[in-house]
Every structure is written in structure tokens, then in C-alpha cells.
Amino acid sequence: MSASAIELKLKTIPESPGVYQYFDKNQRILYVGKAKNLKKRVLSYFSKNHDSHRIAVMVKKIADIKHIVVESEMDALLLENNLIKKLQPRFNVMLRDDKTYPWLCIKNERFPRVFLTRRVIKDGSEYFGPYPSLKAVKILLELIKGLYQLRTCNYDLSAEKISNGKYKKCLEYHIGNCQAPCEDLQTEADYNAQIEAITKIVKGNFKDSLNNFKQQMQDYAEAMRFEEAQRIKNKIKALEKYQAKSTVVNPKINNVDVFSIVSDEGYGYINYLQISHGAIIRSHTIELKKKLDETDKELLELGIIEIRQRFKEHSPQIYVPFEVDLGEETQISVPKLGDKKAIVDLSTRNAKYFRMERFKQMKIVDPDRHTKRLMAQMKEDLRLSEAPKHIECFDNSNIQGTNPVAACVVFKNGKPSKKDYRKFNIKTVEGPDDFASMEEVVYRRYRRLLEEGENLPQLVIVDGGKGQLSSGVKALERLGLRGKLPIIGIAKRLEELYYPGDQYPLYLDKKSETLKIIQRLRDEAHRFGITFHRQKRSKAAVGTELEQIEGVGEKTAIELLKHFRSVKRIKSATKAELAEIIGPSKAQKIINHYAAES
């Protein structure tokens, strides 16, 4: 990858938590790092001189940058650990040994023990974590120990040995930390109920436990046992601050390939996460160009085959967002809940970010490429003879027929051209007649453009269904433009598009960029028209108030408002100030009118 390609990547890296990876020209991994803000962290390597000779040498060798977006800084911390252990990057001097982050283990045994460990052993035990620090696990263990009475010994508490009296109560029983299941003083059902409550707490589902402890605190307080109540209160605070574990690592998810897809009109973006021994060890996204009307299902199937061949990975199990057909040898799962669903969501998140970065890169390298693609897509979707680089949209606005106005907004290359917006007072129509109003403004707009020799748009849109469209067509017919100037109507109810002479509407995909631009035009025309209508109504209301004064007509009211800007200022003006504008006689009438009101 050239220096310019590196610069392009630096401009499009997202400002999200994640892990970044540096590669040399031979695609050998150089370094893995974590960041709360990927963009800031990665840019810092290329925007300053480094005191460390090791880092300076590494930066010179960087030929490619990849990243994985995650939900939180904690996820980034844990994912960095996974990747460093797996990839052993040359320039990472920490985390390359066998040490790893701590887990909380609920042992698979009769009367299970709960303890911290750094090793995950597949013996049926439950593991929760990993946690970013040893302190975090110790605080949680201390919390559990304070809430529940669990054994800490490593005896084999089989029913046979207990019944034979093999064990005796220890100090933990006498100081109240254990109920001595070793002497059958606690039933297995009672003990397992505590384990179930602990499991809920560790998973973040601690509503029942929290309510139970609040009741205990209340009982202690009512019994005047305030020290015990304060102890429970401290535990409740610790419990409320606890956060559920990360989705980056889960020991129950083992040796799985995760795939997801995000697509638009032209391309599909397929992300791949490789899970090994419960940890993400690889993320890769590819871009596939659509051919004809390929569905997301077809694209995802192609992408999965290509990626698995490229990396020579053939995990027997695959997680995907929807059903795909890859043959009978591969087990396909579509997770709906829990950590498995969270992993698929994380894959989709990375696919979305990849698509966003591609768009940003295209805009930097070829600013007009996105616009050209969009215009070509609109031409195809709307069945036009040329790309609609210049679009105009009309909307009427009136309330019960009062102050009828209309607005015309103009988009050029898919973006608003506000200097070309126009607003119209309806002149030839009386009463609330949207159809006649639409015909008038469309006729006036294009008669003016023809008279002035201005360029006509490649597409005209009217806000409304068949009725408004027919009115617009009549106006174009009167000007000799029918068939020469494409015109369509958009109805609000189902966002259907109507064409002249076609009784059946066109329905575009709700996610279509073409429909989104048409909706934006419609909404902008409505906003612009409503704003103009409100201004006109406001002026009409003010003018009516002044015109109620004897001897003050419309012309006088307008002169006063032009000078004083508001009725409030007119009320507070002196006779001399008013007389300068409208003469002493009318000035006196205004003074008398407002004096009588007060």
C-alpha cells in the first residue's frame, strides 16, 4: 500500500472504540493496539516524532492498517489481548506471554465452588468474563462472599462421603461464611439456589437479588441493627455499579465463523469474524459488486465461499443474520438472543463501518463518483431518459383556503440549491383548490423559464397523488412541454410514485437512495411552503389590526410597518414620529385609537 493509500485510510478511520492492526509490505503483522477513539489513536502515530526508537522503526515499516470496531473500551482491551496472543506481533512487547485476563469460574461439581482463574478448562464448568483487571474480579468475589455463604474447601462432597462422616466443620462455618454442606447441614437444593442467584448477578440480571437485599437492609434498620444495614447498603451500591460481561469473549462460543452483510444498490459488504476457543482472532470485510438483481442471501453465500477459500478456514459451524444454503456439511445458525446474537451484531457493525469508509474514500479520491452513481441509479429507478441532475419539486400550502401559497425547491446533483428556491402567491384560484393551485404554479414557473431562456430540469415532482399530477401535466401541456419534461407525483400514504397515463403507481424499496432523495425533496418543499405561508398569515394578521383604525387603509398600514417594523413600536411612537410618515391627521387618529384601548 502506497503512502497516499495510507493517508486515505487515516482520513476515513472511524472515531469509535476498537482495535487497530499494522502490517508491513508483505502483510506480516507488526503491531496490535486498542483505542477508545480509533481515529485519534492511529493518527497520533503519524503526526509526531516518537521518543521510542522501537515505535519510530515500526511506523516506517507500516504499509497497511486494519481495524475492528467494538462496542466499548473494555471490549477493545480484551480483543487486543486475544489478537496479541494469537498473532504474536513483532512490536508488541506486552501481553505476548501465556498470562491472560482473569475469569470467574463456577465449578462443575456437587456444591460448586466460585473462584477466579486465568485458565479456561473445558470440564463443564461455567466461566464468566474475562475481566480487565484482577481487582474487578476480587471485588465481585468479595461481594458474592458477603451476600452468600459458599464453601471454599476443595473437598469432594459426594453424597456417599458426606453420609460416611468423612468431613468435619471448619473455621469458615464457625465464623459464619459457610453452612457446612460437608456435614449435611445444608441441602444441595438450598446451595444450588444460591449458585443460581450468583449466576444471575454475574450475568447482570440482579433484579431479584437487589430486591431481596433491599428488604434485608430495611429489616435490619427497623430492628435498629444499623451496622448490618450499612453493610448490606454498601453491597447494594457495589451490585448496582456492576456491569454485564463483554461480548468479545465467551468460552461457550468455540471455533465458529461469523458472517454478516450490509448492502446498497450497487454493492454488498460482507464481514467475517473468526472465533477460536471463545475469542475473536480475525476480522475481515470484502466488497462484492452486485450483478443484476442479486439478493443479500445470494451475495452472502458468495462472500462466505470466497472468504473461507481465501483463509482456508472450514469451521463446521457458522453464525449468520439469516438462513443461507451452503450444503449439508456446514451447520448454519441464526442466533436470536444472547451472546451469539451479540457476536453477529458486532459483525454487522463492522460491515457498516467498512461501507461508510469506502464512501468516504470515494469522495476524497473522486468527489463526483458518488453523485454520478446516485444520478445513474435514479435514472434507472425512475425510468428516465437522462440522469436527473436538476430536479424541482412543488408543494401547495393553505389552511381552510386562507392565504394560499406554493413553493418550488430545487436540487442539483442530489443536493439543495437554495438560491434557486421560489415561492408563489396563488393569484387565479379562489378557495382551497389544490389541483388548480398546482396547475397555476407549474405553468407560471416553466413559462418564466422558457421566456428567460433558462435550462429546464430533468425531472419535476409534485407533492400529491393522481390529482396533483394531472394538474401539473395540464400546465406542461399548455406550454407544449408534455412528454418533453418528465413529471411524477409522490403520494404521502404509502410513498407511491405516479406517472402520467399510468394508473398503477411505482413502489421503490424503502431503503432506496432514490426514494430517500425524493422524500427529502418533498419534505423540503413542504417546509419551505409552510414557512412562507406562516409569514404571510402573520403579516395579514398584523395588517388587519392596523386597518381596523378609522382612516388607515392597506397602503398606510404597509408604510407604517416598513418604517417601524412592528405594531408595538407604532403604539409607542409619538405623534410627531407618526406624522413624518403618514401626516398629522392620520397620526392623531392612531394616537386616539390606542389611547382609547388603554
Side-chain angles (χ1 to χ4, degrees):
M1 185 178 284
S2 63
S4 59
I6 287 284
E7 290 175 6
L8 187 61
K9 280 214 168 188
L10 292 175
K11 291 177 182 177
T12 58
I13 290 175
E15 296 184 16
S16 301
V19 169
Y20 54 93
Q21 302 171 71
Y22 295 148
F23 295 85
D24 65 13
K25 61 183 180 181
N26 298 316
Q27 281 298 302
R28 288 180 302 212
I29 187 74
L30 294 172
Y31 186 79
V32 174
K34 66 182 180 303
K36 185 177 182 179
N37 183 315
L38 281 168
K39 191 179 189 73
K40 287 183 180 179
R41 186 72 183 103
V42 173
L43 280 174
S44 70
Y45 282 91
F46 296 88
S47 58
K48 63 182 181 182
N49 294 323
H50 299 281
D51 297 330
S52 167
H53 177 69
R54 178 178 63 86
I55 297 297
V57 170
M58 180 192 74
V59 171
K60 290 180 181 179
K61 291 178 177 290
I62 296 173
D64 192 10
I65 303 170
K66 294 181 181 178
H67 62 266
I68 306 173
V69 175
V70 293
E71 291 288 342
S72 66
E73 190 176 8
M74 177 180 167
D75 277 353
L77 183 74
L78 301 172
L79 182 54
E80 177 198 37
N81 175 47
N82 302 336
L83 293 174
I84 291 173
K85 294 286 192 302
K86 170 71 177 178
L87 303 174
Q88 294 287 304
R90 175 183 171 189
F91 286 90
N92 282 97
V93 293
M94 298 175 67
L95 299 175
R96 288 175 61 178
D97 54 23
D98 291 334
K99 289 183 180 179
T100 187
Y101 290 108
W103 299 75
L104 189 74
C105 175
I106 298 180
K107 193 69 175 172
N108 180 26
E109 60 190 357
R110 196 162 182 261
F111 298 102
R113 288 169 292 152
V114 180
F115 55 91
L116 74 86
T117 181
R118 292 184 185 272
R119 295 177 62 207
V120 177
I121 303 170
K122 292 190 176 182
D123 58 356
S125 300
E126 285 193 273
Y127 292 88
F128 299 93
Y131 295 90
S133 70
L134 193 63
K135 183 179 178 182
V137 191
K138 286 185 174 179
I139 289 172
L140 184 56
L141 274 173
E142 196 172 320
L143 172 68
I144 291 169
K145 185 178 178 182
L147 299 175
Y148 299 102
Q149 295 167 300
L150 302 177
R151 72 176 180 118
T152 55
C153 62
N154 58 1
Y155 296 144
D156 174 14
L157 299 186
S158 65
E160 182 183 353
K161 289 182 178 179
I162 291 174
S163 63
N164 291 336
K166 184 173 177 64
Y167 308 114
K168 297 294 181 186
K169 299 188 289 285
C170 66
L171 180 63
E172 290 293 311
Y173 170 79
H174 294 292
I175 62 176
N177 290 339
C178 177
Q179 294 184 32
C182 58
E183 284 199 26
D184 207 17
L185 298 180
Q186 183 181 21
T187 66
E188 189 174 1
D190 180 52
Y191 193 95
N192 287 339
Q194 294 186 97
I195 294 296
E196 186 178 345
I198 290 168
T199 302
K200 287 182 180 179
I201 290 172
V202 174
K203 285 184 175 181
N205 180 16
F206 46 81
K207 182 180 177 181
D208 294 340
S209 296
L210 202 56
N211 290 336
N212 183 34
F213 296 133
K214 285 180 179 178
Q215 185 60 50
Q216 284 185 33
M217 182 179 68
Q218 186 69 29
D219 292 342
Y220 281 134
E222 289 176 359
M224 310 290 282
R225 298 167 62 181
F226 297 118
E227 288 186 6
E228 288 92 335
Q230 182 62 40
R231 179 174 59 82
I232 295 295
K233 183 179 179 181
N234 292 339
K235 299 302 181 183
I236 289 171
K237 283 183 179 179
L239 199 56
E240 288 174 337
K241 288 181 181 179
Y242 176 75
Q243 293 181 344
K245 66 184 183 345
S246 165
T247 59
V248 167
V249 182
N250 185 327
K252 292 183 180 178
I253 303 175
N254 187 35
N255 299 328
V256 173
D257 289 343
V258 182
F259 295 92
S260 65
I261 183 169
V262 172
S263 67
D264 51 37
E265 286 89 344
Y267 292 88
Y269 305 88
I270 293 95
N271 176 261
Y272 163 53
L273 295 180
Q274 183 184 355
I275 315 293
S276 178
H277 301 292
I280 296 173
I281 60 169
R282 177 181 283 127
S283 176
H284 185 75
T285 306
I286 63 171
E287 178 185 78
L288 292 180
K289 185 173 177 60
K290 285 186 177 179
K291 297 176 182 177
L292 299 176
D293 296 323
E294 285 180 311
T295 63
D296 281 1
K297 179 178 180 293
E298 292 169 327
L299 281 172
L300 184 57
E301 288 170 352
L302 288 171
I304 291 173
I305 292 168
E306 181 177 328
I307 290 172
R308 281 162 74 89
Q309 286 178 347
R310 180 183 301 185
F311 291 105
K312 295 182 174 59
E313 292 295 338
H314 301 286
S315 172
Q317 188 170 25
I318 290 178
Y319 294 166
V320 284
F322 48 79
E323 289 289 349
V324 293
D325 184 10
L326 297 172
E328 297 181 358
E329 295 180 1
T330 306
Q331 182 183 345
I332 306 295
S333 296
V334 183
K336 301 296 183 184
L337 296 168
D339 290 339
K340 295 178 182 179
K341 176 67 165 59
I343 289 288
V344 175
D345 290 343
L346 182 63
S347 175
T348 304
R349 183 182 175 92
N350 277 275
K352 286 179 180 178
Y353 271 102
F354 183 86
R355 178 175 177 267
M356 288 166 56
E357 288 166 43
R358 293 289 291 174
F359 280 171
K360 289 178 184 177
Q361 290 169 7
M362 281 191 288
K363 285 182 180 179
I364 294 169
V365 175
D366 183 0
D368 297 327
R369 181 179 172 184
H370 176 65
T371 300
K372 290 174 185 174
R373 181 189 64 79
L374 190 57
M375 292 299 103
Q377 189 66 46
M378 291 190 74
K379 176 186 173 184
E380 181 181 340
D381 289 344
L382 300 176
R383 306 179 303 212
L384 302 174
S385 58
E386 59 180 319
K389 295 180 181 178
H390 177 178
I391 308 173
E392 297 190 353
C393 182
F394 294 86
D395 183 36
N396 293 325
S397 184
N398 68 75
I399 296 179
Q400 297 179 340
T402 63
N403 308 114
V405 297
C408 170
V409 299
V410 181
F411 273 36
K412 292 183 176 178
N413 292 319
K415 296 178 181 178
S417 178
K418 295 196 175 184
K419 66 183 178 64
D420 296 312
Y421 284 16
R422 296 292 182 269
K423 47 195 176 186
F424 301 86
N425 288 307
I426 304 301
K427 298 179 179 178
T428 64
V429 180
E430 292 188 9
D433 189 340
D434 279 352
F435 300 154
S437 298
M438 184 63 73
E439 183 178 348
E440 177 188 325
V441 295
V442 172
Y443 178 80
R444 285 168 54 190
R445 170 65 173 166
Y446 297 116
R447 184 188 63 183
R448 178 90 177 248
L449 290 185
L450 289 171
E451 288 174 352
E452 296 178 355
E454 296 290 335
N455 292 327
L456 294 173
Q458 283 92 32
L459 177 64
V460 177
I461 301 171
V462 296
D463 181 17
K466 292 180 181 179
Q468 283 88 346
L469 177 62
S470 297
S471 300
V473 171
K474 284 180 186 176
L476 296 182
E477 199 164 19
R478 288 166 57 191
L479 294 166
L481 293 175
R482 181 169 183 177
K484 299 177 183 178
L485 186 55
I487 183 169
I488 62 173
I490 177 170
K492 289 186 178 70
R493 192 169 66 89
L494 295 173
E495 306 291 48
E496 58 262 43
L497 303 179
Y498 286 94
Y499 285 76
D502 191 345
Q503 69 178 101
Y504 299 108
L506 170 69
Y507 294 93
L508 294 177
D509 189 307
K510 298 302 180 188
K511 297 180 182 179
S512 160
E513 288 181 286
T514 297
L515 181 60
K516 286 179 181 177
I517 287 181
I518 293 174
Q519 288 171 331
R520 191 177 171 202
L521 272 153
R522 188 264 314 281
D523 295 344
E524 181 70 354
H526 185 67
R527 179 200 64 78
F528 189 54
I530 284 289
T531 302
F532 178 43
H533 183 258
R534 286 172 179 163
Q535 290 170 350
K536 188 175 179 184
R537 256 184 21 227
S538 177
K539 286 180 181 178
V542 170
T544 301
E545 180 182 331
L546 291 173
E547 289 169 29
Q548 288 175 352
I549 303 172
E550 185 183 350
V552 176
E554 182 182 353
K555 187 175 179 182
T556 303
I558 290 172
E559 287 182 4
L560 286 168
L561 287 170
K562 278 184 179 178
H563 182 80
F564 290 101
R565 300 292 181 184
S566 71
V567 174
K568 185 178 179 181
R569 289 184 178 178
I570 293 170
K571 287 181 181 179
S572 60
T574 63
K575 181 180 176 181
E577 290 171 335
L578 293 168
E580 284 183 20
I581 309 301
I582 57 173
S585 176
K586 289 182 180 179
Q588 186 60 51
K589 290 180 180 179
I590 292 173
I591 294 291
N592 294 340
H593 175 81
Y594 286 117
E597 276 191 356
S598 60

